[in-house]
Amino acid sequence: MTLTKTRPTPVEPQSVSKQWVGRSNLRDDIVGGGFAVAFALLVIGFTFTFMWQRNIFERLAVDRVEALVAAQEVRVEGFVESGIDDAELLATRGVIINVLASVNGIPTDSEAATIQDVVARVADVSQDVIWMRVFTPDLHLVATAGTGAIDVGEAYLLQAFNGPTAGRVVVSSNGERVHLVATPIISGDSLVGVAIIGQSTADLDFLTSDYTGLGNTGETIIAQPWPGGGARFITPIRFDVNAALRRTVDGTARNVPVISAMADTVGVSTSSVDYRGAEVVSASRVVEITNWAVVAKIDRAEAMEPLSDFLRFGLLTLLIGSLLAGFFAWLIAHQIRKPILEMKDAAIAVASGDREVMVPNGRADEIGELASAFNTMTTELNQLTGSLEVQVANRTAELQTRNEELRTLMAAKETFLAAVSHEVRGPLTAMMGFLDLIGDGSLVPEDERPQILEMAIQQADEVLVLIEDLLAAARVESGTLKVASVRVNLEAQIRQVMEGLSESSGDMIVLETEPTFAQGDPSRARQIIRNLVSNAVRYGGSTIKMTTEQRDDRVAVLISDNGEGVAAEDRSLIFDAYGQAEGPKKIEASVGIGLHVSRQLSELMGGTLTYDYMDGWSVFTLELPVFEGD
């Protein structure tokens, strides 16, 4: 590449000035930039403050409904417990127990009259109870008090055989809402009857009509389970006074507090939807003995109303702050613009060829430093031009060197692909030949077929080992290879590798091993041992030794052979990818990946793989951490 030194063409001042036509001036840029930065900072600050305030208001609303639902839960539980107490008061009357325990079947008229008298007296002292019934174990009605017919249902009475049952609210024939509480009548360990009372729901109505602390939209809802996973209101609600035992919520409705409460004991939501479809902040509890859902809620719009005032105040602050930022940016720009214009005129003069021009400099700030730097630049411009030409020449030489390296890498790639093709093609060709011989029964005697089949399997194993090494190398390079960290019996791995060797290869090997346990990956340890044994069989001497040793906190596998070994100058290269040491047994088409992969696998398991030549023996040593677990 030849470089030609040329002088810059002088630029007329008039033509340079035309380049500034249509551009905004520096003052406008500074004002605009300062305004934009200030506005962005104000917006960010306002956004974070707004989110913080929103979280505060949400937390306050949640705390309010949580406190209310906790108080309402206690009141509802007190209502239910009073009903259970009234039912048990009736079920524990001695006269009733004695009469029912003495009869077998349906009581006589006199016995029924005795029970009726006791039921009437209990009803007189029970303030909230408007209805009472006593049944025999076969659900025969014995005595009653109060007016109005009520469909109790046998299933509800049967539940009371196992203990007090509460939670069912029904409407009597005279239009009253009644909470039914049933309890067994026990004599000794025997069930002699069932007592059931009807408790007025007036206290529940009063409880849900108290909107203290719930603002203009809040309310308390009490609902009982409804078929299909739904809920039915058992008291009037704020926005529907006729909802009691008439209005239900489908069990498939999503994000509705009363439905969520049927599934969860306690629930809090800042964005649920109530029966009106309005977004609310809600808290819910479940009264366990009745499975009633108690929900306190308030419209989210009302709970977050203070946030609107904060938003208006924040927007006003944002506007005023932005205007102030723009004004101060304009003042700063006015002070900066004049010396910058002087520097622009000097730059135009330099561009026109006058490299002796100097910028007037009477400032001690950063702009003054810039003017000094500009003056220095004009002085050194000619020197820099020459230096630039030298740098271009050096860069050209570097690019040529890079090109040579690239060509070398491309050649190495072609060599590698050729070696892989040869390594795979050789075993595959041998396998195809062996299989053809086996397929043609006339060419191979019956007794020689197993031997030929074993040779074909060995060739397939060689291809499999090569592919396994290549895949492992690729995964290591990409960082996706994972190794286990478990107990590894190195002697067992060695013997498993021995089982895969041919008979002739196995005769060359002398084992001096004992059970040795390392921390690592069994399959990867076996892969390393197999590669080292294969390397010794192909390149080593006539005798191969395999030894295991315990070395303090490490365990080692030593694979030695009495071959000529690797030349001293090549020992640092044998673990490189796709490389082989020189020697009389070098296989020209071999990929040279086995030792490289083995060292990488050993390091991934926290170990090392080294080579030494000592006393006529080539020794590969694999060290792994000792296993210290149970």
Side-chain angles (χ1 to χ4, degrees), residues 89-105:
L89 177 65
L90 179 62
T92 55
R93 296 299 90 191
V95 174
I96 296 176
I97 295 173
N98 293 333
V99 172
L100 292 177
S102 63
V103 302
N104 184 13

Side-chain angles (χ1 to χ4, degrees), residues 1-7 389:
M1 181 176 180
T2 304
L3 297 178
T4 303
K5 182 177 179 180
T6 59
R7 293 182 59 83
E389 293 177 354

Side-chain angles (χ1 to χ4, degrees), residues 299-376:
D299 284 5
R300 182 176 175 84
E302 181 180 359
M304 303 301 289
E305 185 175 0
L307 192 62
S308 300
D309 297 334
F310 174 79
L311 180 62
R312 288 189 290 270
F313 174 76
L315 292 176
L316 179 61
T317 303
L318 182 65
L319 176 61
I320 296 175
S322 300
L323 293 176
L324 290 176
F327 174 73
F328 285 114
W330 182 88
L331 290 179
I332 295 172
H334 183 74
Q335 297 295 324
I336 295 176
R337 186 167 179 262
K338 181 178 178 181
I340 297 297
L341 291 177
E342 293 176 350
M343 196 171 300
K344 181 201 73 173
D345 295 336
I348 293 175
V350 171
S352 301
D354 184 5
R355 297 178 182 173
E356 301 297 329
V357 65
M358 293 292 175
V359 177
N361 185 12
R363 302 174 64 106
D365 54 10
E366 288 79 0
I367 294 180
E369 294 177 359
L370 178 61
S372 298
F374 183 87
N375 293 334
T376 303

Side-chain angles (χ1 to χ4, degrees), residues 493-494 496-497 521-531:
Q493 304 307 319
I494 291 172
Q496 192 168 347
V497 171
D521 189 319
S523 63
R524 296 306 178 186
R526 187 167 58 253
Q527 182 178 354
I528 296 172
I529 295 171
R530 184 178 61 240
N531 282 341

